[in-house]
Structures are given as structure tokens and as C-alpha cells.
Amino acid sequence: GDSVTQMEGPVTLSEEAFLTINCTYTATGYPSLFWYVQYPGEGLQLLLKATKADDKGSNKGFEATYRKETTSFHLEKGSVQVSDSAVYFCALSDWGAQKLVFGQGTRLTINP
Amino acid sequence: EAQVTQNPRYLITVTGKKLTVTCSQNMNHEYMSWYRQDPGLGLRQIYYSMNVEVTDKGDVPEGYKVSRKEKRNFPLILESPSPNQTSLYFCASTLTGTTSSYEQYFGPGTRLTVT
């Protein structure tokens, strides 16, 4: 079945550092890929998405590129802020599917 | 404001005592879903509903029931809760049946503890 694997956390960085959170997937069809973010005490919010190979999703300075050849969707940000501290989930949804398949989540802490 | 609401936000209960977690959305979405979040496992789907009176099992449905009598509401029912159902629960909705194209909107979560 479909699955998503994220890099193990937690991840701790200093403000203005470069961020990469790795995400790889396995899927039988042609999935759409998502990054969701969960701030403390809140539900998940969509951060960005890509629906086909080579698409780049971007939002709030975060980017991720759908790489079909490496089955990856790594999240990057050039300069993180304290307010980026949250849990990040990579997810996929196969075409016609009725659910999102989530990775295990990566907790990110940014220190001033 | 477009939102998904859940109640209660926190609940501590005892084994075997029936409980219901409510979920409501104000966006006229057809599709609603319940997930549970456990450390190291991410979110896993419990049940989903494509529309009123249409529900189906997700990946981890055992011990749960749902109903969809109105488009806006999708309650999660635990008839006889057990300690292994201690978890953080999220309700989500999206515009239409397939989850590949549209953003899912999540509620704030319900933290359930079963002793």
C-alpha cells in the first residue's frame, strides 16, 4: 500500500538557518503530495502541495518539489524563524483516493 | 469564518463508558473524515463520509462508529472505549470526494484519555 517516510525528528535549528526535512513516498498510482503544519495546540493546516511530477509547491518561504524519479518531496526553507516551530507532516493522496496517507511527522524547534 | 469545530477538546473517561466526539463544518463540504494521531505513527484514518448517509471504514475503524445524518456534522462514537483508544483525534473536511485535489481542513483536535 501507499506509504510516506519522513526524516526522524526532533530537529532543532537556530534562527536564520537553512531547513531541509526529507520526505519519500511509495504509491501505486499518481499521487498528489502535501506538506501540512501543526502549530502547538492546533489542528493541521495545509502548507503547500504539488499534484504532478516536477511541480513545485511554495508558501510562506517554504518550498518542495515533486520528484518522481526519486519518489521524494523534501521541504526546504532558506531562513527559518522562531515562528516556524511546529510539527510538519508530509502526506500523499492517490488519484481517486478517499484519504490522506501521512508520514510520522517531524517536530521542528527554532531557537532565537 | 470557514472552520471545522470539535467538541470536547479534552476528555478523560473510563473504560467502557460510551462517548461521542462531535465534529461540525460550515463550508458545505461533502467529504468528512476522522483521523487519530499517535506518536511515531502520524495520522491514520478511522472513518470517512462521502456525503450524507454515506460512510466507510478507513485504516483503523475497530472500536469506532460514525454517522452522517446532516451534511455539516460527523460525530465519532466510541461505544465501549478502551485504553488503546487514548489518542489525539482530528476531524477533517474537504470540498468533494477525492482527497487528491482539494485541501483538507482540520479541526483543532480532541485529546482523549481512557483509563
Side-chain angles (χ1 to χ4, degrees):
Chain A
D2 296 348
S3 66
V4 175
T5 302
Q6 289 180 236
M7 68 183 290
E8 293 288 333
V11 174
T12 302
L13 296 172
S14 297
E15 206 165 20
E16 299 184 4
F18 184 87
L19 169 70
T20 300
I21 301 178
N22 290 337
C23 171
T24 57
Y25 68 90
T26 58
T28 53
Y30 302 93
S32 294
L33 301 174
F34 306 83
W35 277 100
Y36 278 82
V37 59
Q38 183 182 26
Y39 298 105
E42 298 183 12
L44 279 72
Q45 304 172 22
L46 179 65
L47 182 59
L48 52 85
K49 73 175 185 180
T51 57
K52 62 182 186 298
D54 299 325
D55 269 1
K56 176 185 284 188
S58 62
N59 186 24
K60 299 181 180 178
F62 290 90
E63 293 183 339
T65 301
Y66 189 141
R67 302 283 188 202
K68 190 174 181 182
E69 63 276 14
T70 55
T71 62
S72 65
F73 193 54
H74 305 321
L75 182 69
E76 297 181 335
K77 187 175 184 181
S79 176
V80 293
Q81 307 300 314
V82 172
S83 58
D84 293 327
S85 298
V87 180
Y88 292 80
F89 290 92
C90 186
L92 71 80
S93 182
D94 248 331
W95 180 251
Q98 310 306 332
K99 67 179 181 184
L100 288 168
V101 176
F102 287 89
Q104 67 268 42
T106 301
R107 182 176 298 278
L108 174 66
T109 302
I110 307 300
N111 294 322
Chain B
E1 179 191 355
Q3 62 181 348
V4 179
T5 57
Q6 294 179 229
N7 282 292
R9 295 288 311 277
Y10 303 92
L11 179 59
I12 301 174
T13 189
V14 296
T15 298
K17 185 175 181 182
K18 181 179 179 180
L19 65 91
T20 299
V21 183
T22 65
C23 172
S24 183
Q25 50 91 6
N26 63 0
M27 295 168 279
N28 202 36
H29 285 169
E30 292 182 349
Y31 175 96
M32 298 184 74
S33 181
W34 276 102
Y35 293 88
R36 60 177 288 174
Q37 181 183 2
D38 300 293
L41 297 177
L43 280 76
R44 294 175 293 167
Q45 190 183 53
I46 302 170
Y47 269 94
Y48 65 93
S49 170
M50 300 281 284
N51 213 324
V52 175
E53 303 292 358
V54 181
T55 64
D56 208 346
K57 297 177 180 178
D59 293 324
V60 288
E62 294 77 20
Y64 304 95
K65 286 176 56 176
V66 293
S67 68
R68 188 93 182 272
K69 293 183 171 54
E70 305 167 279
K71 199 171 189 178
R72 63 183 293 127
N73 295 324
F74 190 46
L76 180 69
I77 303 157
L78 285 72
E79 294 268 2
S80 182
S82 62
N84 64 11
Q85 293 178 297
T86 293
S87 187
L88 180 58
Y89 292 87
F90 288 100
C91 181
S93 74
T94 192
L95 182 62
T96 187
T98 59
T99 53
S100 56
S101 300
Y102 299 98
E103 174 181 356
Q104 285 206 31
Y105 293 81
F106 284 81
T110 295
R111 184 165 294 281
L112 172 65
T113 302
V114 183
T115 62

